[in-house]
Amino acid sequence: MSVAGANASSASGLMRRGWQGRGTGMLKTYRGSCHCGSVRFECEVDLAQGTRRCNCRFCGKSRLWKVFVLGDAFRVVSGQEMLRDYRGPESQWPQGHVHHYFCGYCGFRGFSKGYLEMEPFDGWFHAVNVAALDGVSDEELAAIPIQYENGREDDYDHPPAIVSHM
């Protein structure tokens, strides 16, 4: 979500679509890792509350399938020293408010960290790459709701006209 997309309209759209924020739903602890296993993390999240796919330049190029993890419900458990941080040259986020982390060895991007002063985020959050979660069966992945965001047009409340490629 870009800063331009991070407005009251986007926040209300998250709430309308069932995003319940902190402390609600059936949280489960998931473990995740990069491809080589050097970076490992865990998070508490309810995947049934929904995930997101966006067509903005960054998400589109990385084919990101993300789930938001709020506050301290995300932890790097090993490999912190292997993480590298990427910031796009055309980022709309204020300096220091977004970190696109990837493993310095295998290059896999398992999560980003962002900061937004709006509900439901209210500070730091992580956008976890669903593909990085370990031990999630094909059946579980197929059952996860996906909301499509038209980030290319800075419209996070509506899907783009075509989503089949996302």
Side-chain angles (χ1 to χ4, degrees), residues 43-122:
C43 58
E44 284 86 37
V45 67
D46 180 3
L47 293 175
Q49 290 299 314
T51 59
R52 296 170 163 266
R53 295 197 87 154
C54 179
N55 67 353
C56 75
R57 187 167 175 242
F58 186 84
C59 291
K61 290 240 181 218
S62 64
R63 310 303 270 178
L64 180 62
W65 182 12
K66 64 190 171 203
V67 62
F68 292 126
V69 179
L70 304 180
D72 59 0
F74 177 93
R75 296 164 297 291
V76 174
V77 296
S78 66
Q80 181 78 36
E81 71 283 357
M82 294 297 295
L83 289 174
R84 303 298 178 264
D85 191 355
Y86 171 75
R87 177 182 168 82
E90 299 171 11
S91 178
Q92 296 178 21
W93 288 79
Q95 186 70 31
H97 282 215
V98 67
H99 303 276
H100 297 298
Y101 292 112
F102 63 96
C103 174
Y105 184 73
C106 69
F108 184 81
R109 194 172 74 76
F111 56 90
S112 294
K113 182 178 180 181
Y115 184 85
L116 289 173
E117 290 184 13
M118 58 181 261
E119 289 186 8
F121 303 100
D122 295 327

Side-chain angles (χ1 to χ4, degrees), residues 53-55 148-152 155 158-163 165-166:
R53 295 197 87 154
C54 179
N55 67 353
Y148 296 94
E149 301 171 327
N150 191 2
R152 189 178 297 153
D155 182 1
H158 301 97
I162 301 171
V163 298
H165 65 291
M166 296 172 65

Side-chain angles (χ1 to χ4, degrees), residues 136-156:
V136 181
S137 71
D138 292 343
E139 292 79 13
E140 289 173 286
L141 290 171
I144 298 171
I146 301 172
Q147 178 183 320
Y148 296 94
E149 301 171 327
N150 191 2
R152 189 178 297 153
E153 303 295 327
D154 206 22
D155 182 1
Y156 297 90

